Amino acid sequence: MNVCPKDKVAAGKMMQDDLYCVLSAMLRQEKEYQCHDYLEFDDTRIDETCRTKMAEWVFQVVDCTQLQRETASVSMMYLDRFMCTSSPSAKKARLDRKEYQLVVLTTLYIATKIFEPFAMDASLVSRLSRGVHSEEEIIALEYEILVALQWKVNGPTPLQFVNYLLELFSTSCRDKALLYGHSHFQTELSIGDYTLMPLRRSVIAMAAILNSLDNLPKDSLPLNERIRYAEVISMATGLDIFSPVINSVRIRLLDSFSRSSGYSLAQVGILPVIETKQWTASNDKATVIEDSPVCIIKERAISLDFD
C-alpha cells in the first residue's frame, strides 16, 4: 500500500476498522524505508550542520514556490535513504559538499515531480544552484537515485502517521485544531534533526502527538479521555508510550519547538516526560534506535550558498 503526502486521511472521516488497516500497512511499510547513520564514515565531509542547512533551504524553496511543506519532508527522506546506499554518487556526496548539494537539489526535483500537481523543471532547479549544477547533471542523478532507492518512493512520513493516528481521537475537544497544528509542526522539526533521522516515522509521530496532547489545558480534555486515547494509539502502533525511546524523542521535539517558535510547548504533566541526560548525536544511537508557477523573483534569496 502506498501512502502519499496528499493523503490528509484522504476521504475525510474513515471507519475505525479502515484506519487500523491503513496504520497496519504503514507500520509494515516503514520498515523498508528506514535509514542508518551515514555520517559515521570516517572520511565523510558532511556533518549535521550541513544537513540542517540543506533542510532549511529545501523548506524555503517549498514555501517560496507554494508547494506542500510535506514535499520538503519527502525530499529530505529521499536524501537520507540515498546517502545510506552504496551508489557511487552517494559515496561522492559524502566526500564533497557540492556533490551533496546536487543530491539535495535532485531529491527535491524528484519529490516535486511525484507529489505536486506540476513538475519543477530541471532547468529551474539548476538555476537555484546558480549554475553550479547543470540540468543534465540533475536529470542523470535522478535516475541513479531512483535505482538506488529501488523505486520505493512512497514510504509513510511522520505527518501521515500523525494524521491517521489523530483520526482515532473520537472525543470532542475544543482545542483539536491545536492538537493537529502542534503535532504537524513537530513532525516538520523532526525532518531537520539528523539525530531523529534513523528512527521509525511512527515513533516520531507518537512523540509529537503525546507532546501536543499533554499541552492541552486541563479543562480542555478530561484526564481519563487523554489516558484512553493514549492507550488507543499505543495499541494501534504497538509502541509503548512510556518507553525511553519515545521519552527521549519527546524531549528533543519539545526543545526544537521552543527554539523554533520562541515559546515552550508546556506540558501539564498528565502524560509526563522524564528529564534525562541530553541526547545528542554523539551519544550511542544504538541504545536509542533500538526499535531530519515558481517565484523566480525570490530566487536569489533561496539559492544555495556554495561558499
Side-chain angles (χ1 to χ4, degrees), residues 157-189:
T157 68
L159 178 67
Q160 291 163 4
F161 270 111
V162 162
N163 284 339
Y164 281 101
L165 288 171
L166 286 180
E167 277 294 298
L168 294 173
F169 188 77
S170 57
T171 304
S172 176
C173 174
R174 71 168 188 257
D175 294 313
K176 195 167 185 179
L178 272 180
L179 192 57
Y180 271 90
H182 286 159
S183 298
H184 287 175
F185 184 45
Q186 289 176 83
T187 63
E188 289 184 6
L189 293 174

Side-chain angles (χ1 to χ4, degrees), residues 1 3 9 14-31 156-169 200-202 205-206 209 229 232-239:
M1 174 183 179
V3 184
V9 186
M14 297 176 64
M15 297 295 290
Q16 279 218 346
D17 287 348
D18 294 332
L19 283 170
Y20 282 111
C21 286
V22 171
L23 284 166
S24 178
M26 292 170 68
L27 289 165
R28 291 194 303 271
Q29 191 182 29
E30 72 172 340
K31 296 176 183 178
T157 68
L159 178 67
Q160 291 163 4
F161 270 111
V162 162
N163 284 339
Y164 281 101
L165 288 171
L166 286 180
E167 277 294 298
L168 294 173
F169 188 77
R200 290 162 54 191
R201 309 294 94 179
S202 56
M206 177 70 79
I209 290 174
Y229 173 64
V232 166
I233 59 177
S234 177
M235 288 189 295
T237 58
L239 297 172

